[in-house]
Amino acid sequence: MDKTSVIFGNPIDQKTVRKAEKSKAKFLKKFGDDTQKTYHLGLQPIEQIKEIGILNLVHADAPLVLPDDALIVGNIRMGFGHYRIAMAIASCAQALGRKPVWMDLASFDATGSKMIRSQNDLYSMGSKLSQKIGLFNKLVWEPMNSEGFRKITYNATDQKNAELLVPLYGDLKKDVPYVGTHVWPSQGAVHAGLSHVVNAIPDNWPMGLHLSEGAIHTVQTPFGYLGYKKLNGFAKHPLKPMSDDALKLVGHYIDHELVTNIDHDCDLRIARSRDGAPVRFLMTVGGAGAGGDLYLAMAKHLLPYVKAKQAELWINFGDHLAMWDVFQKKLPELTKDCRTFFNDYKGLSDWSSALDGESDGGIVAFCHKDIFEAVYSTNLLMRKCDVLITKPSELAFYPVPKLMMRHIGGHEVYGALYAREMGDATYECETAAALCDMIDTLINDRAIIKQLSERIKELNAAQVYNGGYEVVRLAIEGK
């Protein structure tokens, strides 16, 4: 199934096609040719996140037997963003009566999986370098993430490489509903002949990288819709547009548990603001690298407010305990009086469940080795916080008041612009001084949190946050 030489009716030049073929050949040489191999898959429950009830696909000796109501969520771990979208889709699938089945293509012992892991390692290295070396970020990383990945020719190479993923799909029925929360799982499913594939596109900057012809493409914003419809900027000349059945504007990909509690959670935020309660800040640190300096600056700035019972600080270190060590070394006055939930997801869940009322205040840190618990911990606490401090990653689309940090990678700029225009987030605060100034304002002028919360309720009434349900319905219906 050739998806390289013509993309949405647009011919690709032969030089690019040859480059794509060489890329595939390189991975075959490096990781071995398993195109004739039969991979069987089995099901294991993911015990960690009982809220969603996910089954996980793993290698097995016998052919796969799926539940009749299964919906496959194809994903890879690339940071937390794509896992976060996958969890949202799984949550909405369960709410609509489907059994979510997790398919992490990077988790298998197969040529295609090894290819994904090697590319992800390169991306991760580039991301870290971009935070440490300003010149690399300016000359390489920002242009690549905003313009390099934008070109339709980039998609040609990815499509050719995606042919290596096909053996992993051998056990799947062709009409099983399938949602890819990264383009590679979606491309692999299409190449394998699946007929009910949805490509849930992240971010808000249209790029050729995210095209998966043969799937239904979903986007979260009108800006994204028009950009993909016209394939705007994907080449130096105008391109044939995407067809109506290939592209759908659905809204934000948000977990069912969050969507159904939006009004309740926002009403509590408004009440806390009215009553002058401590402002609850949730900080998503993870493996922040050089960006850790900004988190440290904000945490240090918040300490006097915490001591004065004007603020609380909750910090998710993701699955990066090394960042906790950095905090201990550079900000010991914060960590010595800090309540911790390290690899104690149940304890964190039990503690957060009581936070509709008053909390016990202070500073709380949590970190989990398990990736599911690490990601979902933010879900638990974002319902209970007043302000989420985050870079404009996929969290830019979530229904919680957000203090936006500086983006990493040019594509994230447009998530920040969108969120501030929608009115459920601040503008991007790029420096420690700007971030601390915004913290001062949020604590001392409670009208802002009230406004952000009321705006989230308005957006919820307009069903802006219902994109996850729409993705699931499209996958069930197929083209």
Side-chain angles (χ1 to χ4, degrees):
M1 185 187 299
D2 176 35
K3 298 289 183 182
T4 298
S5 58
V6 179
I7 299 174
F8 289 109
N10 296 285
I12 303 300
D13 65 277
Q14 285 304 302
K15 181 180 178 180
T16 297
V17 172
R18 288 193 297 270
K19 179 182 176 182
E21 291 169 345
K22 286 180 181 179
S23 178
K24 177 183 176 182
K26 178 190 71 174
F27 287 120
L28 283 170
K29 182 178 180 180
K30 185 175 182 179
F31 299 122
D33 187 348
D34 65 352
T35 52
Q36 301 304 313
K37 188 170 181 178
T38 300
Y39 289 107
H40 290 311
L41 303 175
L43 295 168
Q44 286 183 352
I46 297 176
E47 299 288 354
Q48 299 92 323
I49 308 298
K50 292 182 172 61
E51 291 90 341
I52 305 177
I54 316 174
L55 294 173
N56 191 28
L57 286 177
V58 296
H59 280 304
D61 295 327
L64 173 68
V65 178
L66 278 174
D68 291 338
D69 59 353
L71 182 140
I72 310 294
V73 184
N75 61 83
I76 65 169
R77 176 181 176 177
M78 181 174 279
F80 279 9
H82 296 282
Y83 254 44
R84 185 170 302 287
I85 300 172
M87 288 183 181
I89 300 304
S91 171
C92 291
Q94 183 189 54
L96 293 177
R98 288 283 169 160
K99 187 63 181 177
V101 177
W102 194 265
M103 187 180 190
D104 182 348
L105 265 71
S107 68
F108 300 102
D109 184 24
T111 295
S113 300
K114 295 171 184 175
M115 172 191 69
I116 287 174
R117 290 196 292 271
S118 69
Q119 291 183 288
N120 192 24
D121 287 345
L122 284 174
Y123 188 88
S124 179
M125 180 177 68
S127 180
K128 290 176 181 176
L129 285 174
S130 74
Q131 297 175 63
K132 295 177 180 178
I133 305 173
L135 197 60
F136 174 82
N137 183 61
K138 180 179 180 180
L139 299 180
V140 178
W141 196 246
E142 289 269 355
M144 183 172 69
N145 276 273
S146 58
E147 294 299 332
F149 293 154
R150 191 181 184 191
K151 304 307 179 189
I152 197 169
T153 50
Y154 191 93
N155 183 251
T157 298
D158 264 5
Q159 284 283 17
K160 181 56 65 175
N161 289 336
E163 295 173 6
L164 299 177
L165 300 171
V166 170
L168 289 169
Y169 293 83
D171 269 2
L172 300 185
K173 294 180 179 179
K174 300 303 183 186
D175 62 350
V176 65
Y178 186 100
V179 178
T181 60
H182 184 284
V183 70
W184 294 337
S186 176
Q187 289 170 348
V190 172
H191 280 289
L194 272 63
S195 59
H196 285 55
V197 181
V198 172
N199 177 30
I201 295 175
D203 300 321
N204 189 35
W205 178 237
M207 294 191 290
L209 164 70
H210 292 305
L211 296 177
S212 177
E213 187 173 5
I216 300 171
H217 297 65
T218 60
V219 292
Q220 302 183 83
T221 74
F223 177 79
Y225 176 83
L226 185 57
Y228 278 104
K229 182 70 174 176
K230 287 287 292 177
L231 302 178
N232 180 47
F234 288 25
K236 292 181 179 179
H237 56 276
L239 297 171
K240 293 181 180 179
M242 293 178 67
S243 62
D244 290 343
D245 63 347
L247 180 64
K248 304 294 180 183
L249 171 59
V250 297
H252 303 187
Y253 314 133
I254 307 297
D255 313 64
H256 172 73
E257 312 87 75
L258 297 175
V259 175
T260 53
N261 286 290
I262 286 175
D263 286 358
H264 169 79
D265 295 340
C266 284
D267 285 342
L268 289 177
R269 290 184 188 108
I270 292 168
R272 288 193 294 269
S273 295
R274 179 194 63 221
D275 297 339
V279 178
R280 300 171 173 182
F281 291 92
L282 172 59
M283 192 180 285
T284 56
V285 176
D293 290 340
L294 293 177
Y295 288 108
L296 284 163
M298 286 186 287
K300 183 176 182 179
H301 188 75
L302 275 164
L303 271 176
Y305 286 116
V306 173
K307 291 177 181 177
K309 299 189 182 304
Q310 292 179 281
E312 298 176 19
L313 176 58
W314 308 336
I315 310 174
N316 186 3
F317 288 94
D319 58 355
H320 297 276
L321 193 58
M323 279 304 301
W324 167 254
D325 295 334
V326 172
F327 269 63
Q328 282 187 308
K329 180 180 179 180
K330 295 190 175 182
L331 204 58
E333 64 269 35
L334 179 146
T335 59
K336 68 180 180 181
D337 295 323
C338 180
R339 180 173 188 169
T340 60
F341 294 96
F342 291 163
N343 298 313
D344 182 14
Y345 181 78
K346 184 180 185 304
L348 180 68
S349 181
D350 290 345
W351 177 75
S352 68
S353 66
L355 290 175
D356 275 3
E358 292 185 7
S359 69
D360 46 12
I363 300 167
V364 180
F366 42 104
C367 182
H368 297 85
K369 290 181 181 178
D370 180 83
I371 180 64
F372 293 98
E373 294 174 348
V375 175
Y376 205 81
S377 293
T378 294
N379 283 29
L380 294 178
L381 272 299
M382 79 168 75
R383 281 197 56 204
K384 312 296 183 176
C385 75
D386 295 313
V387 179
L388 173 66
I389 301 175
T390 181
K391 68 184 182 70
S393 59
E394 200 55 41
L395 283 170
F397 300 92
Y398 272 68
V400 56
K402 294 169 287 287
L403 195 175
M404 287 294 191
M405 299 175 63
R406 188 187 187 281
H407 64 276
I408 299 175
H411 60 295
E412 288 187 348
V413 172
Y414 298 89
L417 291 172
Y418 172 77
R420 81 179 191 189
E421 292 301 320
M422 293 299 285
D424 62 358
T426 71
Y427 48 81
E428 226 178 321
C429 299
E430 298 191 5
T431 65
L435 287 162
C436 292
D437 178 68
M438 185 61 74
I439 287 171
D440 291 341
T441 303
L442 291 167
I443 293 174
N444 295 315
D445 186 352
R446 302 300 177 90
I448 297 175
I449 295 175
K450 179 176 180 290
Q451 169 62 27
L452 293 169
S453 300
E454 289 176 341
R455 180 58 179 156
I456 290 168
K457 291 178 66 175
E458 292 172 1
L459 295 172
N460 185 41
Q463 300 186 332
V464 168
Y465 302 112
N466 284 16
Y469 305 115
E470 295 305 311
V471 166
V472 171
R473 292 188 182 102
L474 287 168
I476 294 169
E477 295 167 4
K479 275 197 174 183

